[in-house]
């Protein structure tokens, strides 16, 4: 007999809906969940993840779908499930605590809270049985239950200390002036020291696309003529474009490379990565005229429109890393990898040999079980362009017959703002009005569905139904940036007006003393402490995004108020 759906069945988040049939009696993040914890005198299990997270699915299958584990949770805990993409504010607060306590973070994030939402024990993924010095999830649950029952004073003391520590963490705001040439030159020097001259990018494995860093390098070169900055940007973009992190058949980029050489990706594809990288390559073309940059910008834009655009005109959040390998098993990368035998089945012997050489497919493989991720290794051979394009199309058609990765159809306002800006600019640069139209469609959806009468943003929607969560700083800033790009490309002043409405909220509801910016609005739900982070991660931080958007708006309108706000933020 199938279990009855839990409370998550009423949510719009695909990630939460994936857990709606768990035997765990899940609650969404809500005042009611914490009231239940107070009433029943139980600790709260907070589990945070997202739909395309591989290890989130693993822990769900191992623990949250297990009846014995669910019975333990249901009897002794109030279990709260959060989609970090819907509630980045909740994720940020507790991830800071996890990182401070353990020195590392990640998803799924597992945090135990008091009924007052104060954290007292942390972790990420826990296995179903002890492994490599890591306790099993059930051992953790039993330990927390015992501490809550027998050592409540100790738990309260730990929770209070953590809350005080979090509240006492202050950001050093630096000077009262915007950064000048001295700071920017120091930043370039720091990047030069971190740069991987052999492989492009920065640091070691795993290697993430450094979208915001490349944008800085391109701007620095444009401003100063520094050839080293341009060279780092060019080489990094070429290495990524030729690597397995770039989908050589369908366009677009995977989340990151597990190795230093950009060969083997973690196969999930995120809207925000592709929006940012589309714009990076378009800006690289603008600076250099590179044919490679032009091709990658366009195939990334086409990937977003083809595979992520929703029926309502917005853009879905992500494609999963895992898919059915043809045997009923969900396997990471199954949709994307090839063996020489699979090439022969599709292309015949002669063309398969050419394809294997061109895309770096070997008998040993570059991934698992003799499979290879397609890449464009550097080689001296000159290939016939028409023949290569014919092979690429045939392989893409054959791949389309495989079981496709799942798609998270949630429309996130901020990431759609990034996509709008990228598609608008790319369409304008390369005379592709269809891309501008796609940007306009997404912008129209945000205005119709995500904006209320006071120009307040909702963070998400799905299938034309708006979510319950209020927009955070990055939503207001990134959507404003997208609208400003549309205003520039189309000449339609209405997009400038909408951007102004959003940026007014940034100045009045998200800005603190001396221009400091908070991730949540002053009138939003209070968290401990209110999240505030100027650090870029996979996407520009809300703070980072909320500086250039009002500056651009001020340049186009002459608004001194917005210019002053931008300078204070910087």
């Amino acid at each position: 007999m199938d279990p009855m759906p839990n409370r998550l069945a009423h949510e719009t988040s695909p990630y939460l809906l994936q857990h709606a049939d768990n035997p765990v009696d899940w609650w969404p993040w809500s005042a009611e969940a914490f009231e239940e914890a107070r009433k029943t005198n139980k600790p709260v299990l907070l589990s945070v993840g997202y739909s395309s997270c591989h290890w989130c699915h693993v822990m769900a299958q191992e623990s949250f779908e297990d009846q014995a584990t669910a019975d333990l949770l249901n009897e002794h805990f109030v279990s709260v499930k959060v989609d970090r993409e819907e509630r980045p504010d909740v994720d940020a607060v507790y991830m800071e605590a996890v990182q401070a306590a353990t020195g590392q973070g990640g998803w799924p994030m597992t945090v135990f809270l008091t009924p007052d939402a104060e954290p007292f024990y942390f972790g990420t993924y826990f296995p179903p049985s002890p492994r490599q010095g890591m306790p099993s999830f059930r051992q953790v649950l039993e330990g927390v239950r015992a501490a809550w029952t027998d050592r409540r004073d100790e738990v309260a003391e730990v929770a209070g200390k953590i809350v005080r520590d979090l509240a006492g963490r202050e950001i050093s705001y630096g000077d009262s002036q915007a950064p000048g040439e001295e700071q920017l030159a120091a930043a370039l020097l720091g990047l030069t020291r971190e740069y991987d001259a052999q492989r492009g990018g920065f640091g070691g494995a795993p290697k993430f696309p450094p979208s915001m860093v490349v944008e800085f390098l391109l701007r620095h070169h444009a401003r100063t003529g520094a050839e080293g900055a341009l060279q780092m940007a060019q080489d990094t973009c070429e290495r990524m474009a030729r690597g397995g992190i770039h989908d050589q058949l369908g366009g677009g980029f995977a989340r990151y490379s597990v190795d230093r050489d950009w060969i083997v990706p973690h196969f999930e594809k995120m809207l925000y990565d592709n929006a940012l990288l589309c714009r990076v390559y378009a800006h690289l073309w603008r600076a250099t005229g590179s044919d490679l940059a032009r091709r990658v910008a366009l195939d990334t834009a086409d990937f977003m429109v083809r595979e992520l655009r929703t029926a309502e005109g917005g853009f879905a959040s992500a494609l999963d890393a895992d898919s059915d390998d043809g045997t009923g098993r969900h396997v990471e990368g199954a949709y994307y990898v090839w063996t020489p035998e699979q090439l022969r089945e599709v292309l015949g012997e002669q063309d398969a040999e050419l394809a294997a050489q061109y895309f770096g497919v070997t008998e040993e493989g570059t991934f698992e079980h003799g499979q290879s991720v397609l890449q464009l290794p550097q080689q001296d051979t000159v290939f016939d362009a028409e023949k290569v394009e014919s092979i690429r199309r045939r392989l893409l058609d054959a791949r389309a017959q495989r079981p496709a990765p799942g798609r998270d159809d949630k429309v996130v306002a901020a990431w759609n703002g990034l996509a709008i800006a990228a598609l608008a600019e790319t369409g304008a640069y390369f005379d592709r009005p269809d891309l501008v139209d796609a940007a306009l469609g997404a912008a129209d959806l945000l205005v119709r569905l995500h904006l209320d009468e006071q120009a307040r943003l909702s963070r998400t929607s799905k299938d034309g139904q708006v979510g319950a969560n209020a927009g955070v700083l990055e939503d207001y800033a990134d959507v404003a940036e997208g609208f400003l790009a549309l205003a520039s490309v189309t000449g339609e002043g209405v997009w400038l007006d909408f951007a102004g409405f959003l940026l007014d909220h940034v100045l009045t509801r998200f800005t603190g003393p001396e221009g400091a910016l908070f991730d949540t609005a002053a009138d939003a739900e209070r968290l401990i402490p209110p999240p505030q982070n100027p650090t870029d991660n996979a996407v520009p931080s809300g703070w980072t995004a909320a500086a250039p958007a009002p500056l651009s708006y001020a340049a186009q309108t002459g608004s001194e108020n917005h210019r002053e706000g931008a300078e204070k933020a910087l």
Side-chain angles (χ1 to χ4, degrees), residues 215-227 229-230 286-287:
E215 289 282 14
F216 166 75
L217 293 172
L218 292 173
R219 287 168 179 258
H220 193 82
H221 170 260
R223 189 173 56 249
T224 68
E227 288 301 323
L230 180 61
R286 186 176 61 183

Side-chain angles (χ1 to χ4, degrees), residues 34-74:
F34 289 95
E35 180 57 36
E36 176 70 11
R38 277 187 286 272
K39 186 171 68 176
T40 58
N41 194 27
K42 293 178 180 179
V44 173
L45 163 70
L46 172 64
S47 176
V48 182
Y50 57 104
S51 71
S52 56
C53 165
H54 173 73
W55 286 103
C56 299
H57 291 301
V58 172
M59 189 167 175
Q61 291 164 2
E62 293 173 342
S63 296
F64 300 139
E65 295 175 11
D66 176 66
Q67 187 64 55
T69 304
D71 289 343
L72 183 57
L73 281 167
N74 295 342

Side-chain angles (χ1 to χ4, degrees), residues 304-488:
M304 287 192 287
V305 173
R306 183 182 67 249
E307 297 194 35
L308 295 179
R309 186 158 58 170
T310 69
E312 295 75 32
F315 290 93
S317 295
L319 298 180
D320 286 353
D322 302 356
S323 58
D324 192 322
D325 66 354
T327 69
R329 296 184 310 127
H330 267 62
V331 176
E332 185 177 1
Y335 188 70
Y336 299 101
V337 295
W338 296 82
T339 64
E341 177 59 31
Q342 289 171 326
L343 293 181
R344 287 191 287 270
E345 289 174 4
V346 174
L347 302 172
E349 195 72 38
Q350 187 173 355
D351 283 356
E353 185 176 341
L354 188 153
Q357 184 181 0
Y358 184 76
F359 288 118
V361 177
T362 66
E363 292 292 342
E364 299 78 18
T366 56
F367 187 48
E368 300 170 347
H369 312 301
Q371 300 168 312
S372 292
V373 182
L374 302 190
Q375 54 177 316
L376 300 181
Q378 295 280 2
Q379 47 194 308
D380 297 329
T381 306
V382 177
F383 294 89
D384 181 279
E386 288 188 13
K387 171 65 74 173
V388 167
E389 180 57 24
S390 169
I391 286 171
R392 191 192 69 80
R393 284 198 304 271
R394 289 151 66 193
L395 290 177
L396 185 60
D397 289 343
R399 192 178 78 176
Q401 304 308 308
R402 298 175 176 179
R407 189 173 84 165
D408 182 338
D409 282 333
K410 177 173 74 270
V411 172
V412 176
W415 306 347
N416 273 254
L418 297 175
I420 290 165
L423 292 170
E425 288 192 359
T426 304
Y429 293 156
F430 304 121
D431 194 22
R432 285 282 302 274
D434 59 309
L435 298 180
V436 179
D437 287 343
L440 285 165
D444 181 62
L445 175 70
L446 293 179
V447 170
R448 284 188 292 105
L449 197 60
H450 286 242
L451 273 181
D452 67 12
E453 295 82 358
Q454 288 80 42
R456 294 188 179 219
L457 267 174
S458 293
R459 169 99 176 147
T460 61
S461 67
K462 182 178 179 292
D463 300 330
Q465 180 181 348
V466 70
N469 296 304
V472 295
L473 178 60
E474 69 168 357
D475 294 305
Y476 283 84
D478 288 338
V479 172
E481 176 78 9
F483 288 173
L484 289 166
L486 269 183
S488 297

Side-chain angles (χ1 to χ4, degrees), residues 14-298:
Y15 176 66
L16 298 186
L17 290 171
Q18 288 166 2
H19 294 79
D21 291 321
N22 290 169
V24 177
D25 187 19
W26 288 114
W27 292 73
W29 179 274
S30 59
E32 291 78 10
F34 289 95
E35 180 57 36
E36 176 70 11
R38 277 187 286 272
K39 186 171 68 176
T40 58
N41 194 27
K42 293 178 180 179
V44 173
L45 163 70
L46 172 64
S47 176
V48 182
Y50 57 104
S51 71
S52 56
C53 165
H54 173 73
W55 286 103
C56 299
H57 291 301
V58 172
M59 189 167 175
Q61 291 164 2
E62 293 173 342
S63 296
F64 300 139
E65 295 175 11
D66 176 66
Q67 187 64 55
T69 304
D71 289 343
L72 183 57
L73 281 167
N74 295 342
E75 183 175 356
H76 298 291
F77 298 85
V78 172
S79 301
V80 174
K81 177 62 77 172
V82 166
D83 181 345
R84 68 175 292 258
E85 296 175 347
E86 276 198 334
R87 292 301 304 263
D89 50 344
V90 172
D91 178 64
V93 166
Y94 294 105
M95 184 58 75
E96 183 176 0
V98 171
Q99 290 173 330
T102 68
Q104 59 187 14
W107 299 275
M109 177 167 61
T110 306
V111 186
F112 294 90
L113 314 175
T114 71
D116 292 323
E118 298 176 335
F120 62 88
Y121 189 77
F122 317 91
T124 52
Y125 164 79
F126 288 105
S129 55
R131 185 185 306 165
Q132 298 175 335
M134 187 187 303
S136 73
F137 185 50
R138 289 185 65 181
Q139 285 177 325
V140 170
L141 294 178
E142 290 287 6
V144 171
R145 181 189 67 79
W148 184 258
T149 302
D150 303 329
R151 304 192 304 278
R152 184 74 59 85
D153 290 347
E154 184 181 328
V155 168
E157 183 180 345
V158 169
K161 182 178 183 303
I162 291 169
V163 169
R164 289 192 299 274
D165 180 59
L166 290 174
R169 288 169 175 258
E170 293 185 359
I171 295 170
S172 175
Y173 296 126
D175 298 328
S176 59
Q177 300 298 315
E181 287 306 315
E182 182 180 347
Q183 291 94 335
L184 297 172
L188 180 63
L189 180 61
L191 289 171
T192 302
R193 290 170 177 159
E194 289 287 317
Y195 183 63
D196 185 340
Q198 290 185 304
R199 306 168 183 85
F202 300 86
K207 230 171 198 173
F208 290 78
S211 304
M212 284 72 75
V213 171
V214 174
E215 289 282 14
F216 166 75
L217 293 172
L218 292 173
R219 287 168 179 258
H220 193 82
H221 170 260
R223 189 173 56 249
T224 68
E227 288 301 323
L230 180 61
Q231 196 64 52
M232 284 192 285
Q234 282 183 295
D235 290 351
T236 295
C237 285
E238 180 174 354
R239 290 285 187 168
M240 290 193 299
R242 299 183 71 86
I245 191 174
H246 179 221
D247 184 347
Q248 303 296 341
L249 299 183
F253 288 83
R255 179 70 195 90
Y256 62 85
S257 172
V258 302
D259 57 88
R260 297 182 65 174
D261 294 291
W262 307 104
I263 296 173
V264 178
H266 183 45
F267 291 90
E268 61 186 345
K269 284 181 168 180
M270 315 302 291
L271 173 62
Y272 52 74
D273 283 321
N274 285 283
L276 290 165
L277 286 166
C278 177
R279 210 175 185 193
V280 161
Y281 280 91
H283 291 168
L284 179 61
W285 170 84
R286 186 176 61 183
T288 65
S290 161
D291 287 337
L292 175 68
R294 179 183 189 278
R295 176 174 65 79
V296 175
L298 285 170

